[in-house]
């Protein structure tokens, strides 16, 4: 059986530091809180009774919500798109005109796996504008791996907003806060 892993790439991810970071976590904490969640690498590697994942990026939080609700659908749509330069730019154009929903989250996942360095960047108009990765394509997780990782989101409260508001509304005694600001 595979182990849970972050489902997206993210610039500044702490995936490589998980071994050290996990040493700070233990089961005596009541809640795990990550106000700049990005790939949520530490979250996916621990078992918290209660979690709060937050980020200012609404599309990221919407992606996690849709992965929690319909992981198979998100995965099926994303993996059905050909991995090519042409398909990438067509997908990016479509992503920028869709408001929300499962399809937008699937396109988010596709773009994340195929964009340059897992960067999420938008222009002044709010459009995602990261170029195609070219040779550094990241394979999609298998459906079983993706569903396993997404299942970990069921006990997480997902919030989109300012980190201070998340901290003010979520931190209680015996909370573990992992803050890795951009």
């Amino acid at each position: 059986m595979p182990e849970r892993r972050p489902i997206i790439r993210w610039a500044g991810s702490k995936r490589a530091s998980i071994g050290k970071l996990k040493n700070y976590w233990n089961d005596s904490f009541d809640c795990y809180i990550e106000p700049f969640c990005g790939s949520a690498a530490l979250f996916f590697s621990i078992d918290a009774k209660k979690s709060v994942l937050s980020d200012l990026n609404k599309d990221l939080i919407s992606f996690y919500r849709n992965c929690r609700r319909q992981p198979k659908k998100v995965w099926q749509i994303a993996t059905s798109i050909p991995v090519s330069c042409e398909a990438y730019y067509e997908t990016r154009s479509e992503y920028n005109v869709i408001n929300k929903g499962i399809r937008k989250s699937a396109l988010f996942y596709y773009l994340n796996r195929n964009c340059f360095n897992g960067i999420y960047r938008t222009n002044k108009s709010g459009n995602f504008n990261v170029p195609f990765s070219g040779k550094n394509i990241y394979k999609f997780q298998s459906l079983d791996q993706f569903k396993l990782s997404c299942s970990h989101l069921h006990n997480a409260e997902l919030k989109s907003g300012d980190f201070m508001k998340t901290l003010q509304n979520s931190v209680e005694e015996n909370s573990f806060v992992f803050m890795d600001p951009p």
Side-chain angles (χ1 to χ4, degrees), residues 4 7 40 43-44 53 63-68 148-158:
R4 290 185 315 261
I7 52 182
F43 163 79
F44 283 105
L53 298 179
F63 167 74
Y64 282 139
R65 284 184 180 133
N66 284 316
C67 286
R68 176 172 60 192
L148 173 67
S149 295
C150 290
S151 71
H152 196 50
L153 294 165
H154 284 287
N155 293 328
E157 183 177 351
L158 301 168

Side-chain angles (χ1 to χ4, degrees), residues 61-123:
I61 298 303
S62 180
F63 167 74
Y64 282 139
R65 284 184 180 133
N66 284 316
C67 286
R68 176 172 60 192
R69 283 190 288 255
Q70 294 188 47
K72 184 177 179 181
K73 187 81 168 165
V74 170
W75 185 89
Q76 286 175 325
I77 294 169
T79 60
S80 71
I81 303 167
V83 177
S84 70
C85 187
E86 182 180 349
Y88 177 85
Y89 288 108
E90 287 173 7
T91 302
R92 189 177 80 173
S93 293
E94 181 183 353
Y95 175 81
N96 285 324
V97 296
I98 295 176
N99 287 329
K100 58 185 175 179
I102 296 293
R103 181 149 183 91
K104 180 148 182 128
S105 292
L107 300 183
F108 180 98
Y109 184 49
Y110 172 88
L111 293 169
N112 176 265
R113 301 310 283 182
N114 295 290
C115 73
F116 178 76
N117 283 349
I119 294 171
Y120 188 91
R121 180 188 67 204
T122 57
N123 60 22

Side-chain angles (χ1 to χ4, degrees), residues 1-58:
M1 175 105 174
E3 64 181 47
R4 290 185 315 261
R5 295 188 310 218
I7 52 182
I8 59 170
R9 304 179 311 140
W10 206 255
S13 171
K14 296 300 176 248
R15 183 179 279 185
S17 304
I18 290 303
K20 286 184 177 181
L21 292 171
K22 281 175 69 171
N23 293 327
Y24 294 100
W25 170 261
N26 66 61
D27 292 334
S28 69
F29 289 109
D30 293 329
C31 184
Y32 173 87
I33 301 167
E34 190 169 353
F36 304 101
C37 68
S39 71
L42 182 56
F43 163 79
F44 283 105
S45 72
I46 63 168
D47 289 312
K49 299 170 224 152
K50 179 182 171 186
S51 300
V52 177
L53 298 179
S54 178
D55 203 281
L56 195 56
N57 185 327
K58 291 178 183 176

